[in-house]
Amino acid sequence: MGYFKVKNSILNGNVRISGAKNSALPILAATILSSEKLEIENVPDLLDVQTMIEILRKIGKEVIFENNKVTLNGTVENHVVPYDLVRKMRASFNVAGPLAVILGESKVSLPGGCAIGVRPVDYHIMGLKKLGFEVEIAHGEVYIKKGKKEKEVIINLPFPSVGATEHLMTTAALMEGITVIENAAMEPEIVDLQNFLNSLGAKIQGAGSRKIVIEGVKSLNGRSYKVMPDRIEAGTYAIAIAATGGKGYIEEIIPEHLEILWEILKETGTNVTIEKNRVFVDGKGKKRGININIQPYPGFPTDLQPQILVYLSLADGVSMVVENVFKNRFHHIDELVRMGADIRVVDGTAIVNGVKKLSGTKVEGTDLRATAALIIAGLVAEGTTEVHNDFHVLRGYENIVEKIRHLNGEIEHIV
Ligand code: EPU
């Protein structure tokens, strides 16, 4: 396993943001529904994307991935997705419904636990049952068999789960009658998935609100589609530039997707200038602490919680960050404390007492965003930091070393 060697740096310059991982994954899973030629553009070259492509190949799709474009042909033929692929990435579970729609059945391993806490799939299963599927869980696998769907089905999610909303919306696209998802997640990635499916002939409306209505169609066509920019990658670089006291443009993004981040950065003392599809961040000067509530969209994203904690570690005063999406997503804090941060966790709230400096040491990433946060901590810390478990970051940040170097950051990937 490799690691990143990061030195104290000030990030300056412009960074171009890649296509969104969390859009590309459900869009790729949804390609199961069409047997025509599809071209998906602006797909980031990441480990998670490679895993999804491996799954699609395993179940019978012909897939070519070149220059950020995925070209798909053919129909799915195999209904089994083995554990070694689901184990690598939870989003793999989202092929279960679409696969059973096409083949009448599917067998997908249950995703295991992960470092950001317990992540069950009970809402997915509840929704699939409402859609008429028989669901059996045994030996760590979920077996799904198509049954009879009622003409109008209402699925009310207990929590606006991103994955369950995407999975059920995709599954229902080719099922007769109307499906309504209530208390749906409103993340921009869900709007992107709706736009993709509708571009193939699906009839879905309401994505981006709490209620999504799907009118089943008989089949989907082929065409090409461009994945939206990655708002979490954009937010990560904006926080990194601001935390190091540097300045620069975050380019080729949709600024409205991160309104809450721009507000938090401004309120804490970073200058932010929003333009049409780029944002200028200037982190010169002192920062102030602030309280943040991590919530589903349009709230502050859990996927930027570890990164903003690094930024707040060096801000004046006390900050409180309440995690309401993944209650245990705090493993990065132990490592930040080893670097000199003063953070305590009490009942799902991180209480940060701003310190004057962090100092470099060896640290270990526990998940994708936690590892990205430790790289930011390495950039702001005195001396050199070794961030171990490099593979987490390679799951979700395209060309991270090149992008940070382009911003004048000192980082080396040791493999
Ligand atoms: N939940 C359940 N039961 C379910 C589904 C979810 O209890 O059946 C709970 C989860 O345990 C969690 C909450 O609901 O407490 C929200 O989970 P959600 O389903 O929204 O998360 P997800 O779909 O598994 C996606 C992203 C995550 C991101 C979350 C929240 C993808 C591929 N993953 O996960 O991204 O943190 O939404 O926004 O889209 C990342 O990119 O690093 C990442 C972890």
Side-chain angles (χ1 to χ4, degrees):
M1 253 187 284
Y3 64 94
F4 297 99
K5 197 171 188 179
V6 188
K7 290 195 179 151
N8 183 257
S9 317
I10 296 176
L11 298 188
N12 274 312
N14 304 337
V15 57
R16 199 184 71 80
I17 297 307
S18 300
K21 165 182 86 81
N22 289 349
S23 251
L25 294 174
I27 285 175
L28 287 171
T31 64
I32 290 175
L33 297 179
S34 171
S35 51
E36 293 191 24
K37 181 175 176 185
L38 293 167
E39 288 178 334
I40 320 290
E41 290 168 41
N42 204 28
V43 177
D45 192 352
L46 302 168
L47 287 183
D48 277 8
V49 167
Q50 298 287 0
T51 302
M52 186 56 88
I53 288 175
E54 244 183 280
I55 290 175
L56 293 173
R57 287 192 179 128
K58 186 101 197 159
I59 57 183
K61 283 266 185 198
E62 285 164 36
V63 191
I64 299 168
F65 186 22
E66 272 173 1
N67 303 324
N68 295 108
K69 184 166 102 180
V70 181
T71 308
L72 301 113
N73 269 300
T75 314
V76 289
E77 287 161 358
N78 171 9
H79 74 278
V80 183
V81 182
Y83 179 61
D84 60 332
L85 290 175
V86 183
R87 179 179 59 84
K88 285 190 192 164
M89 178 182 74
R90 264 182 70 81
S92 316
F93 190 69
N94 282 25
V95 304
L99 201 49
V101 166
I102 301 297
L103 297 178
E105 59 179 351
S106 70
K107 197 196 249 183
V108 179
S109 280
L110 268 176
C114 73
I116 64 182
V118 181
R119 292 173 77 187
V121 286
D122 50 339
Y123 308 158
H124 299 237
I125 287 170
M126 176 273 286
L128 290 170
K129 284 184 178 163
K130 286 230 164 189
L131 290 171
F133 291 92
E134 278 172 41
V135 182
E136 267 175 45
I137 303 174
H139 309 292
E141 286 176 325
V142 183
Y143 175 73
I144 297 167
K145 194 163 175 231
K146 208 170 159 186
K148 192 163 165 37
K149 175 183 175 291
E150 284 173 20
K151 278 224 147 30
E152 183 163 341
V153 169
I154 298 178
I155 302 169
N156 197 333
L157 294 176
F159 184 89
S161 153
V162 173
T165 303
E166 292 166 344
H167 191 181
L168 298 170
M169 180 171 132
T170 306
T171 306
L174 280 191
M175 296 187 81
E176 218 184 313
I178 303 284
T179 304
V180 180
I181 305 177
E182 286 179 350
N183 200 26
M186 302 189 345
E187 270 68 2
E189 290 76 11
I190 301 197
V191 179
D192 211 27
L193 177 63
Q194 170 181 280
N195 291 343
F196 168 67
L197 285 165
N198 285 351
S199 76
L200 305 185
K203 287 193 179 158
I204 307 175
Q205 46 172 317
S209 78
R210 284 273 173 254
K211 182 173 168 180
I212 300 177
V213 181
I214 304 128
E215 189 186 333
V217 295
K218 290 231 170 333
S219 63
L220 297 181
N221 320 313
R223 60 158 289 150
S224 65
Y225 187 82
K226 186 174 175 200
V227 171
M228 71 172 210
D230 196 313
R231 66 192 168 99
I232 304 300
E233 189 198 16
T236 302
Y237 283 106
I239 294 170
I241 290 175
T244 62
K247 59 181 180 211
Y249 275 103
I250 317 295
E251 296 190 312
E252 292 186 35
I253 63 168
I254 302 175
E256 301 89 80
H257 288 172
L258 283 166
E259 255 164 32
I260 186 91
L261 173 67
W262 311 134
E263 261 172 52
I264 295 284
L265 290 177
K266 281 185 202 165
E267 280 183 38
T268 50
T270 292
N271 284 318
V272 175
T273 314
I274 298 170
E275 297 180 15
K276 191 164 168 276
N277 48 20
R278 59 181 194 164
V279 169
F280 186 71
V281 175
D282 182 351
K284 207 170 106 206
K286 272 201 171 320
K287 315 290 186 313
R288 298 176 287 279
I290 198 166
N291 296 339
I292 304 180
N293 229 343
I294 307 298
Q295 295 277 14
Y297 192 83
F300 195 96
T302 176
D303 287 343
L304 290 177
Q305 179 257 100
Q307 302 87 316
I308 203 77
L309 277 183
V310 175
Y311 172 87
L312 294 175
S313 302
L314 293 167
D316 283 346
V318 179
S319 304
M320 298 224 259
V321 178
V322 188
E323 174 57 80
N324 296 295
V325 178
F326 293 110
K327 299 270 183 218
N328 296 319
R329 192 177 202 171
F330 282 131
H331 293 291
H332 40 283
I333 290 180
D334 292 340
E335 297 301 78
L336 292 176
V337 168
R338 292 184 52 245
M339 294 178 74
D342 179 352
I343 312 177
R344 268 175 312 133
V345 179
V346 180
D347 290 339
T349 299
I351 304 165
V352 188
N353 260 304
V355 294
K356 292 267 173 287
K357 62 179 176 84
L358 298 182
S359 60
T361 182
K362 281 187 190 176
V363 288
E364 268 189 21
T366 45
D367 71 75
L368 168 56
R369 310 302 171 186
T371 313
L374 292 174
I375 290 179
I376 301 177
L379 291 167
V380 293
E382 284 184 346
T384 303
T385 302
E386 281 184 16
V387 181
H388 288 259
N389 295 349
D390 59 343
F391 63 94
H392 288 301
V393 149
L394 307 176
R395 289 184 59 182
Y397 288 90
E398 192 176 48
N399 302 330
I400 188 165
V401 169
E402 292 78 357
K403 288 186 184 185
I404 291 179
R405 282 194 184 152
H406 184 71
L407 290 167
N408 284 327
E410 279 196 61
I411 182 168
E412 224 181 313
H413 188 190
I414 319 278
V415 279

